[in-house]
Amino acid sequence: MIWSLLLMTLSMLAVAWLAWKLVQRQERGDDQLESLLKKDDDRAERGLRRAAGLPDKPTDGSEDNTRR
């Protein structure tokens, strides 16, 4: 009984690892997906900064020097 649970757990981990590798390989060359993910990360960061009461980061690439 314990061996079947161990084998099942190991096989589930192997399938999860294989799926992870396949998805990573597919996403690696997708510039459009990378752009969408970057926009989503930026939007999420702005929302978190607003929720914390911090000013938005400047969009011109300069650093935010408003904190002391």
Side-chain angles (χ1 to χ4, degrees):
M1 170 111 171
I2 188 92
W3 291 109
S4 62
L5 289 175
L6 183 62
L7 181 63
M8 181 182 65
T9 302
L10 290 175
S11 64
M12 288 172 54
L13 288 171
V15 168
W17 178 81
L18 180 62
W20 174 260
K21 287 300 207 180
L22 290 173
V23 168
Q24 291 301 312
R25 184 172 52 165
Q26 183 177 359
E27 289 179 351
R28 190 174 316 135
D30 194 345
D31 293 333
Q32 183 180 10
L33 178 63
E34 289 293 325
S35 174
L36 290 172
L37 290 173
K38 173 79 170 110
K39 287 179 185 177
D40 189 51
D41 287 345
D42 292 343
R43 181 198 55 79
E45 183 180 359
R46 284 191 312 271
L48 289 172
R49 290 180 70 84
R50 284 186 191 130
L54 298 172
D56 285 344
K57 280 188 174 179
T59 57
D60 63 357
S62 63
E63 291 294 319
D64 182 13
N65 293 325
T66 57
R67 291 192 293 167
R68 297 176 189 196

